[in-house]
Amino acid sequence: MAIPKQASWMVRKILNMRKYWHTIITSPTLVKKEKFHIQAAYIALRGPVTEVAWSSLICHSVASPRTVFILWLALLGRLRTQDLLIKWGIDVNGTCVLCKNGLETQEHLLFHCYFSKKVWQEMLS
């Protein structure tokens, strides 16, 4: 059966996987004791992935989901700071809202801002 053009992208992806199914189902590493192991199939299809040093902060954290999400954005350099909004063409002041001194960047907010430094010092003491 040909993959229909009007099918959603998800259906097309699923139908496109048919060509790999015979290889997957007959692989001795994926079928053990006549049982198919979906985790092994996922790893085989995904391929090798290098683990980042900060994965344990995100994946097995006792922090709230909101905190983990913000940390994840910070580690990827994707926090919505004033400098990023300016790059997107949004008309904002750009000055740090906490210390009113300097351009609000992720680096400034987390490490150089006077107000943030005080908060970090209080948290660590």
Side-chain angles (χ1 to χ4, degrees):
M1 173 183 144
I3 299 173
K5 297 265 191 244
Q6 69 273 17
S8 70
W9 68 270
M10 187 183 308
V11 171
R12 288 195 308 269
K13 289 281 188 189
I14 292 170
L15 292 175
N16 197 30
M17 290 302 296
R18 292 178 297 181
K19 58 187 170 191
Y20 302 109
W21 184 249
H22 182 69
T23 307
I24 292 170
I25 204 69
T26 58
S27 172
T29 59
L30 305 180
V31 180
K32 295 176 184 172
K33 298 180 184 176
E34 297 183 16
K35 283 193 170 186
F36 177 73
H37 293 269
I38 191 72
Q39 181 181 13
Y42 174 75
I43 292 168
L45 288 171
R46 180 191 66 194
V49 175
T50 56
E51 188 172 324
V52 292
W54 47 264
S55 67
S56 62
L57 292 172
I58 301 293
C59 298
H60 303 290
S61 176
V62 293
S64 69
R66 178 182 180 180
T67 306
V68 171
F69 181 69
I70 292 170
L71 175 62
W72 180 60
L73 288 176
L75 290 169
L76 293 175
R78 303 277 174 105
L79 287 177
R80 302 299 183 248
T81 53
Q82 301 268 354
D83 67 325
L84 188 62
L85 297 176
I86 291 169
K87 285 180 189 175
W88 289 352
I90 299 172
D91 187 27
V92 291
N93 184 356
T95 306
C96 177
V97 295
L98 300 175
C99 68
K100 308 285 189 243
N101 187 17
L103 179 64
E104 182 183 293
T105 64
Q106 181 174 313
E107 182 80 15
H108 174 80
L109 279 177
L110 296 177
F111 305 109
H112 303 299
C113 178
Y114 172 75
F115 184 82
S116 295
K117 280 184 181 180
K118 274 187 103 166
V119 171
W120 281 116
Q121 287 171 351
E122 289 295 319
M123 285 178 59
L124 294 172
S125 63

